[in-house]
Amino acid sequence: MQFRFGNHLLDLDRRELCRSGEPVALEPQVFDLLVHLVQNRDRVVSKDELLESVWGGRIVSESALTSRITAVRKAIGDTGAAQHLIRTVPRRGIRFIGDVREEREAAPASSPASRLSIVVLPFVNLSRDPEEEYFADGVTEDLTTDLSRIAGALVIARSTAFTYKGKPVDVKQLGRELGVRYVLEGSVRRAADQVQVNVQLIDAESGTHVWADRFEADRTSLAQAHSEITGRLAWALNLEIARDVGRRIERENRIDPAAQDLVMLGWAWWHRPRSAAAMQEARRAFERALEIDPESIDARVGLARVLTVELVGNFAPRPNTDFQQEGERIERLLLEAIEGDPNNPRARATMGRLRWVQNRLAEARIEFETAIALDPNDSFAHVQLALTLLFSGDPAAAIPEAEKAIRLSPRDPQLWGYYWPLGFCRLLLNEPGAAIELLTRARATNPRNWLIHFLLAAALGLRGDVDGAKGALAESLKRNPDVDSLAAYRAFRPWGSPQYWALFEESAAVGLRRAGLLDEASERDRVLVTVLFTDIVDSTRRAAEIGDRAWRLLLDRHDDAIRRELAQFRGREVKTLGDGFLATFDGPARAVRCAAAIIDRVRPLGIAVRAGLHTGEVETKRDEVGGIAVNIAARIAELAGGGEILVSGTVRDLVAGSGLAFDDRGDHALKGLPEPMRLYAAKV
């Protein structure tokens, strides 16, 4: 069934709203609200009726309902002031007043498929046992339900999908008929005491395979096998579809993307192997989505989840921000999201993570248990519940939750994030051998995380491998010099119950002391230097274009070129940052000229480097530097364009008389600084 009004087409079968032939991104509840109003346009619809039909009778705040009505009006080009299509009737409700024409014909083949649209075809039973037929149908139904939970997803109903059961299917034709971008096919086969499920995700436009996998479970308990397979399959599909949609959006590189596209792109970045750069891209996508659609719940949840990564600080020294103030910002985002959609599992799980960072562990546990009840297949919620139990001082209870997360997503790019909590549990239980095995797996999957090296040092020290422990501790300090003592660790990660800290002291602290970690931090030296940050512009896109191997070779040439210039201008390399460098100089003029030489040196490689410089006092310890001056230089570099050198006013003033010239780029607000800072572009 379709409803046409003005230049809009509302397609119920495809769950799609188009304006002038172009799809309009709508959250599921907003779509359902519009459908109900259009279908009942002959009368005024009350608030209670909307709550019953759209929210299933759940308790929803007045502001949440109002925001959804506002979103409907915005989607169809109406406003609360104009009320051309949706009229508010005081004290009675609202009514759709536009002229509507009903159409029962299928949408034309040329109608564009929604970006995140899929049909789950009935799984084929390849065994003769009729029992497997019910199993296959059950997998199909549960997957259809689970995929419908993905924000912004259009999933063809089971009743329509089952009309294709037992029939040969042309995937491209099916995609055109149903208006979907993806087709999921699968089969079930009995092999001895195992049930095997084979699946393949197909691009309906091209007919090419996006992803395929095989899942197995013990047949002795079909109910348990069914739950395990559908859970793992639903989570894997969630990941693969997010990745593929993200790749599509990046390839299209649209100048004016829709808010929902940016949300999907943000989640695609979230599901990539974790790094500071990936989180920066995810944050940028979610923030842009909120700028376009300030009412977006999904963008709020995504941004809040990315911000908790900075708050936890697993990849680097925590940014120079007020811990409490940033926590309050995250909480506002999540409370607004939950007010709009109380049953959003991602919002609940993210709120749980914030609560354990705030050391409100009982509340965190409630949030995670709520999230799991809403979406039992969310491995993130399971592993975060495990961490909550760990920090509550009950690592034995945490282990099953972490193991459940691994079973749900055994090939997750974030698998390191499941192994290290499991290893931490074993460490607190004074089982260093098991802890070392699990933490070594986590390190192999993601060596960028300082905490994994830190915990591995503790486990190795506890077992008596002092040399190995010292090496692991050195790696931890290299990645996060702020945690250079047991006191610093307690300050950097203050959450945890007294029971947790007692277990930590009896196990991890013993191993860390053997590795050479002091109870209290030693003194740091403070020196005046010029700090230089460089990085490659659009590195992610370039890496995707040329492939991993070619990108690695290109990075090696880039690194060699920069090191030659640093040596030429007497710069000191502090560390590499994936696709950039942090270096210090004892003279600002040499630092600026070195930055210019670096940009010229790498240009023939086909890459553009940007640079940021600031002169100030830094803290030095071992081979690391830290302090506000380092953070300022990093923020300045983020604002530079390709081939550009941005410097602070301090640098510009100090090089007066050196022959260097600068263009004034005005005042800029830098994160962590109370006042804007004037920046200048070097003309070299």
Side-chain angles (χ1 to χ4, degrees), residues 514-544:
R514 291 176 183 171
L517 191 69
L518 301 176
D519 282 271
E520 298 291 338
S522 58
E523 290 297 320
R524 296 174 180 265
D525 292 328
R526 298 186 68 85
V527 295
L528 184 69
V529 298
T530 298
V531 182
L532 166 67
F533 269 92
T534 72
D535 72 341
I536 300 173
V537 178
D538 287 336
S539 59
T540 304
R541 178 185 58 79
R542 185 66 192 281

Side-chain angles (χ1 to χ4, degrees), residues 78-91:
D78 199 4
T79 65
Q83 298 193 19
H84 295 308
L85 295 173
I86 296 177
R87 177 173 297 166
T88 299
V89 181
R91 294 182 296 280

Side-chain angles (χ1 to χ4, degrees), residues 26-40:
L26 288 181
E27 294 181 6
Q29 287 177 340
V30 176
F31 182 88
D32 293 340
L33 179 58
L34 175 59
V35 169
H36 192 81
L37 291 174
V38 171
Q39 288 180 326
N40 295 277

Side-chain angles (χ1 to χ4, degrees), residues 286 299-309 330-331 333-334 350:
F286 289 130
R300 277 181 170 76
V301 175
L303 179 57
R305 185 168 292 190
V306 170
L307 292 176
T308 62
V309 173
I330 296 170
E331 185 162 350
L333 288 167
L334 291 172
T350 308

Side-chain angles (χ1 to χ4, degrees), residues 247-379:
R247 286 191 292 264
R248 288 174 184 270
I249 295 170
E250 286 182 317
R251 282 199 306 268
E252 292 172 8
N253 193 26
R254 295 191 297 176
I255 297 174
D256 187 22
Q260 191 61 31
D261 278 1
L262 288 166
V263 168
M264 288 187 282
L265 183 59
W267 285 115
W269 277 106
W270 170 266
H271 288 304
R272 294 190 184 190
R274 187 74 78 243
S275 68
M279 290 302 93
Q280 186 180 46
E281 293 292 344
R283 177 175 178 169
R284 185 177 294 118
F286 289 130
E287 287 178 335
R288 288 179 63 200
L290 266 181
E291 289 173 3
I292 296 170
D293 182 8
E295 303 297 325
S296 174
I297 290 175
D298 296 328
R300 277 181 170 76
V301 175
L303 179 57
R305 185 168 292 190
V306 170
L307 292 176
T308 62
V309 173
E310 288 190 0
L311 210 59
V312 171
N314 279 348
F315 288 93
R318 191 175 287 120
N320 187 39
T321 56
D322 185 296
F323 189 89
Q324 182 176 350
Q325 186 177 4
E326 193 71 354
E328 290 172 353
R329 178 193 179 193
I330 296 170
E331 185 162 350
R332 283 195 302 273
L333 288 167
L334 291 172
L335 288 175
E336 290 166 355
I338 291 172
E339 184 180 21
D341 183 3
N343 294 316
N344 187 310
R346 276 177 169 166
R348 292 291 185 180
T350 308
M351 180 65 86
R353 193 181 202 197
L354 175 64
R355 291 296 182 234
W356 69 245
V357 171
Q358 295 171 330
N359 213 25
R360 295 159 65 174
L361 299 173
E363 295 173 63
R365 183 170 182 172
I366 292 171
E367 293 293 351
F368 290 127
E369 289 173 345
T370 302
I372 290 169
L374 293 168
D375 184 1
N377 304 322
D378 187 349
S379 62

Side-chain angles (χ1 to χ4, degrees), residues 158-177:
R158 173 212 183 274
S159 55
T160 297
F162 268 77
T163 62
Y164 294 90
K165 185 170 182 177
K167 300 176 182 178
V169 171
D170 181 311
V171 172
K172 292 184 179 180
Q173 181 179 344
L174 179 68
R176 290 191 295 269
E177 289 177 358

